[in-house]
Each structure stands twice: as C-alpha cells, then as structure tokens.
Amino acid sequence: MTNPTDPTDETVVSAEVRESYERATPQSRALAERARSVMPGGDTRSVTYHRPYPSFVDSASGASLRMVDGETLLDVLNNYTQSVLGHAPDPVVEAVCDRFRAGNGVAAPTEPAVELAELLVDRVDSIDRVRFCNSGTEATMNAIRAAMAWTGEERICKIDGGYHGTHDIVEIGVSGDGRAHKGIPRSAERRVQTVSYNDTEQLKATFEAVGDEMACLILEPILGAGGMIPATDEFLRTARDVTTDADVPLIFDEVMSFRLAPGGAQERRDVEPDLTALGKLIGGGLPVGAVAGREQLMAQFHPETGSIDHSGTFNANPATMIGGVATLEELDEDAIVELNRRGNELRERLQQVGDASSQQITITGEGSLFQIHFTDGPVRDWRSSGAGGSLSEPLFHAMRREGIFLAPRGMGNLSTAMDDEDIVTISAAFERALESL
Ligand SMILES: Cc1ncc(COP(=O)(O)O)c(C=O)c1O
C-alpha cells in the first residue's frame, strides 16, 4: 500500500521523474524540508500535497504562477476554480485594497455585504436571502443545518464521491470508502445515505424507501472533486421531483459550478433548488462562503425570530464582500459565454489527443471545467471515473515539465485571463505528456 505522506514512495513517482523534479525545484525542496519541521507534511491543505513535495509559488498574476525556483507555469488549476478571473485582476485588487485601508474587521454590518447579497439575489432565481460565512465547508454545513431545523430530521442523502467540504457528516462517502475516515464520529455514518451520481432509479428507490427520514438531498450539479462529471438532465430533474414529493429541501452545492452561468449551473440546467451553497469565486480571492435560498428556509437564520445561531468573526468582512462584488461585475454573461466556449474547445482537443494516444482517455466536464480520466468510459459517477488511477500523478508531473499546472488528480479549469493560444498550448503539452508516460 502506498503512503501518500511518504516522500520516498517510488511506486507513484519514478526515480527519473523525482530526479528531474528535484533538479528543477531546489528552492522548493529546501522550503519543503523547512516546512515539514513545523507543519505535518509541510503544508496545511491535503489537496495541494503531491509527491515528492509540492513546489512553492512566489507570486501569481493573470494566468501565470511564478515559482520560487524561477519557473513560470500556466495555471490551469486556478486554486481549484476559485481564481476565475486569473490572479490579481486589477479591479478586484483595487477594490479590496481600498476597502482594507478603510478598515476591515468590524463587528457591525457594512454596505459591501448588502451589495454582494443583492447581486446574488438578482442573478439566481432560487435565491431570496443570503447569509455569508468563510468557506464552502461552512456554507454546506449551514445549508444542512437549515434543512435539519426545517424538517426536524437528522439524516441526509448525498452522492457517492460527492465532496462538500470537511465537516463531519459530508466527509462520509467522499471517496467511496470514506466510511473508514478516522476522527469522524461513527454516528455520522448512520446519518448519511449515499446514492450513485446519475443513477436515477437508485435515487427514486432511495426516496421511496427512506425519503421521509431525510433532512435534505445535497448534490453538485456537476460532480466536482468526484471527477468533474456533469449530471444528466434526468438525474437533476428527478432530484427536484423526489425531494418535492417528500417535502425535503434540495440543496445544490455550487461552490465550484457557480461559474457556469450568471445564475450558476442551476440556471443552465433550469432546475431550482431550495438552498444553494456558494464559495470560492464569490470572495474575490479572499476566504468566503454563503448559504442562500428560499425566504422561508433562510428565515431560520433571523436573529430575532429564527432558531439557528449563525456567527463568525469574519462573516461578511467588507474586503471579501467588495472583492466578490468586483469579481461578479467582471464575470458577466459575455465573460462566461466566452469562458465556456474556450472550455468546450479545450475538452474537444484533449479528447482528440487522448483518442490518438495509446492510453485509454476520457475527458469529462462542462463549460470551463474539465478532468482527464485514464479509462475508456463512459464516466457517469465516481466509481466509473477511474479516480485515483495510478497515471494521474505521473501525468501531473509530465504536464508540469511542459509548463502546465494541473491538479495532481488530473482536474483543471480555465480563467478569463487565458486566451485561445493557451488552449492550443495546453493540448500540445498534453500530447507530449501522454507520450512520455
Ligand atoms: C463542491 C464543493 N463544495 C464545498 C467545498 C468546500 O469549500 P472550502 O474549501 O472553501 O471549504 C469545495 C471545495 O473544493 C467544493 O469543491
């Protein structure tokens, strides 16, 4: 069995790849060693770790990452979809810095939060009211809490392989066998019913059997960390129907998918949830989350008349809020249409390269989101995605040698800082990377 924290593990990264990586990243290696003496694994985010050690970023602007070792990489990961405008976009930097100078940490509401909430209510039909928090994790935690308070039930239905952050209940069923997670109370397992993504019959059968015991159904309109797999229209429509019939709130986690249309993936798919969890791009590069939705459900957060206590030192801090406003103003309908067009073109090109290679490759995704799977597909859910396939990390290193920064699991996404030439560059790099595997 491989140990993902063992820097000497050679079953995933070959000696040749390791040597060439170490030659290219001596400063990062020194920093990683220093970091390991003060942080377990040398970092504080499991998903940014890869073997033999992650390389360190010095600065980032537009579509580029400048690494401490002097390399410049094309960033096709964009902080796992957060940096939708690329890095340090001028209007956002200016708005955030101006606001920070005007005072940020105040224990009272400020107008930028009202502006950001107004923008979200205007853009998303299912959103009447918004509460801000500091991460996607907190957003899904509060959405589930609102659903539990509303129904009086404690069990939730979620997707096998669906990632909604790191609070206990949503950690269950994340990697298929997430039930083995240590540190999570066993009681959390009993509170979760999982369903395979895009399995409409299983979803119907589950709700027929235990729908009345559920506090909510939570899902992503495109399964993100579980393989960047779009839901079928039939699956999303069924999710809406079974939850309506059971009188159970439907929660869409749009932490990643919100970029797909001005009103999020729910607008694109024409299915309205009762609650939406948001995060990542709506904070303009600062930590953010939001739970939003129907007025009656959201009224439970009302400080005088509601039943849910919801506080947080940094909730709706004005620099984050104004960063979100500036980002959404840039990310208008025209920008999204263009971003999605480029994404479609990139996925087509990557699939063509995969088809012409000796590997079995399936490219999934939607709009500006994509993932490379080492399987001949079809990829419909976490189990058919070939997730954790042994070639994902070698591909990550091979793409990195070509100057492209992807997720170690083969996931990527575009930012508005990229152009058509970047699409050609990424596909050509993929062709050479596959040949080198
Ligand atoms: C769909 C989805 N939900 C929730 C989260 C958790 O967000 P955060 O990392 O801000 O806690 C993520 C993070 O990647 C996500 O992709």
Side-chain angles (χ1 to χ4, degrees):
M1 201 175 127
T2 58
N3 175 0
T5 60
D6 178 0
T8 62
D9 179 8
E10 297 219 336
T11 57
V12 174
V13 181
S14 69
E16 191 193 341
V17 168
R18 178 185 299 276
E19 276 160 28
S20 112
Y21 182 74
E22 287 177 357
R23 263 198 311 279
T25 60
Q27 307 279 1
S28 288
R29 189 180 183 189
L31 273 169
E33 267 165 31
R34 199 174 128 203
R36 278 202 184 106
S37 67
V38 283
M39 293 182 277
D43 202 351
T44 61
R45 196 173 169 192
S46 301
V47 82
T48 55
Y49 184 80
H50 62 78
R51 284 157 278 213
Y53 51 84
S55 50
F56 281 65
V57 172
D58 181 36
S59 63
S61 91
S64 301
L65 298 177
R66 272 180 298 281
M67 312 306 285
V68 293
D69 297 283
E71 309 157 285
T72 299
L73 303 178
L74 182 65
D75 189 4
V76 189
L77 183 49
N78 292 302
N79 197 16
Y80 284 86
T81 74
Q82 172 260 305
S83 310
V84 66
L85 305 179
H87 298 286
D90 286 340
V92 180
V93 172
E94 275 157 31
V96 169
C97 291
D98 285 353
R99 182 59 232 191
F100 210 81
R101 276 188 215 98
N104 190 47
V106 291
T110 60
E111 193 172 347
V114 185
E115 280 178 44
L116 184 56
E118 283 169 349
L119 272 177
L120 293 171
V121 169
D122 280 352
R123 281 167 86 126
V124 189
D125 285 348
S126 72
I127 296 184
D128 304 322
R129 298 285 185 272
V130 184
R131 294 281 293 199
F132 292 107
C133 47
N134 300 293
S135 65
T137 294
E138 283 180 52
T140 62
M141 183 185 79
N142 281 297
I144 291 171
R145 194 168 278 174
M148 282 172 50
W150 183 256
T151 57
E153 299 294 340
E154 294 196 357
R155 299 189 69 211
I156 68 163
C157 186
K158 75 178 280 288
I159 302 299
D160 191 20
Y163 179 70
H164 304 290
T166 57
H167 56 101
D168 286 352
I169 193 168
V170 294
E171 283 273 15
I172 307 298
V174 165
S175 53
D177 63 352
R179 285 167 198 276
H181 280 180
K182 292 271 168 61
I184 294 179
R186 298 296 300 270
S187 56
E189 295 176 8
R190 292 191 289 275
R191 292 178 51 208
V192 178
Q193 176 77 44
T194 54
V195 170
S196 294
Y197 205 56
N198 285 327
D199 190 336
T200 304
E201 290 312 313
Q202 193 191 19
L203 180 60
K204 279 187 195 157
T206 301
F207 266 77
E208 259 163 43
V210 289
D212 59 350
E213 295 169 24
M214 292 296 144
C216 66
L217 167 61
I218 181 165
L219 57 84
E220 298 161 87
I222 170 164
L223 189 64
M228 216 43 102
I229 305 163
T232 62
D233 287 336
E234 188 198 11
F235 188 68
L236 284 188
R237 176 62 42 209
T238 303
R240 182 60 282 178
D241 291 345
V242 294
T243 47
T244 303
D245 291 348
D247 206 9
V248 163
L250 173 63
I251 303 173
F252 274 4
D253 180 345
E254 293 236 38
V255 168
M256 274 195 187
S257 62
F258 190 58
R259 57 161 51 209
L260 291 176
Q266 55 191 272
E267 177 194 336
R268 202 170 149 94
R269 299 309 203 81
D270 197 20
V271 177
E272 288 189 13
D274 303 295
L275 290 167
T276 301
L278 296 167
K280 295 205 194 275
L281 74 86
I282 67 156
L286 291 165
V288 76
V291 51
R294 301 279 178 227
E295 186 175 355
Q296 277 180 312
L297 277 162
M298 292 299 296
Q300 298 178 107
F301 291 102
H302 192 298
E304 282 178 24
T305 53
S307 53
I308 302 176
D309 195 21
H310 172 231
S311 278
T313 304
F314 290 104
N315 286 4
N317 81 83
T320 304
M321 299 291 103
I322 208 75
V325 169
T327 301
L328 288 183
E329 279 170 355
E330 294 293 306
L331 194 70
D332 59 13
E333 179 144 25
D334 289 350
I336 292 176
V337 167
E338 188 60 5
L339 196 56
N340 288 346
R341 180 192 66 74
R342 283 213 178 97
N344 293 342
E345 193 187 326
L346 177 63
R347 274 182 283 103
E348 257 173 50
R349 281 174 176 264
L350 294 178
Q351 188 63 66
Q352 280 164 10
V353 169
D355 290 346
S357 79
S358 57
Q359 302 285 348
Q360 293 187 329
I361 300 285
T362 301
I363 308 296
T364 59
E366 186 171 343
S368 53
L369 305 165
F370 71 92
Q371 182 145 343
I372 300 162
H373 303 267
F374 284 92
T375 168
D376 59 358
V379 174
R380 288 172 51 84
D381 55 17
W382 182 83
R383 278 169 207 281
S384 57
S385 74
S390 58
L391 283 175
S392 296
E393 212 160 316
L395 176 72
F396 162 78
H397 278 284
M399 289 294 274
R400 199 187 177 290
R401 280 199 302 277
E402 297 288 338
I404 308 289
F405 190 70
L406 271 183
R409 63 171 183 254
M411 175 267 203
N413 61 90
L414 303 181
S415 74
T416 59
M418 291 169 169
D419 57 23
D420 288 336
E421 216 174 289
D422 291 319
I423 305 307
V424 177
T425 303
I426 298 164
S427 340
F430 183 48
E431 189 169 0
R432 290 190 296 271
L434 279 184
E435 276 163 15
S436 75
L437 292 183

